[in-house]
Amino acid sequence: MASTSNQSNRSTSSSEEEIVDERKRKRMISNRESARRSRQRKQQHLDELVNKAALLKEENARITMQTNMIMERFLRLDSDNAVLRAQLAELTGRLQSVNSVLRMVEEFSGVDMDIQEIQIPDPLMRPWQMCSAQPIACIFE
């Protein structure tokens, strides 16, 4: 009877071990699958980040190129404006000289020359205070 009880305990113990082993095996398979999915998600995320970095680099290059083109245009226009301001100052000086001569002729001849004084608005004589001819350092590289 003791032997039957031992065998019964052994078979119960053996079947319990098999159940435990089967659970461990299923859990191990589940863990491996979960780890595989995690690696796939991580790789997909890395690929997305690499693609996004490439797109941002392209956009950065495009913006840098646009900035450089705008800066070149600004410098040309600023130079043109400086020339125009110099011409304005020269022509204003000439006009004042001519008006001065006309006043003297008017004074000595007694003939009314109908001199019209042209007042040049002050802002035209000054360059823009907001803009500087210094290029802006490019920080996009």
Side-chain angles (χ1 to χ4, degrees), residues 99-115:
N99 282 341
S100 175
V101 168
L102 286 175
R103 270 192 225 93
M104 287 183 1
V105 167
E106 184 179 59
E107 219 175 278
F108 289 115
S109 70
V111 177
D112 186 15
M113 296 293 217
D114 193 28
I115 302 171

Side-chain angles (χ1 to χ4, degrees), residues 78-91:
D78 191 53
S79 175
D80 291 347
N81 281 340
V83 169
L84 290 173
R85 283 190 297 272
Q87 288 175 346
L88 176 64
E90 180 184 345
L91 291 174

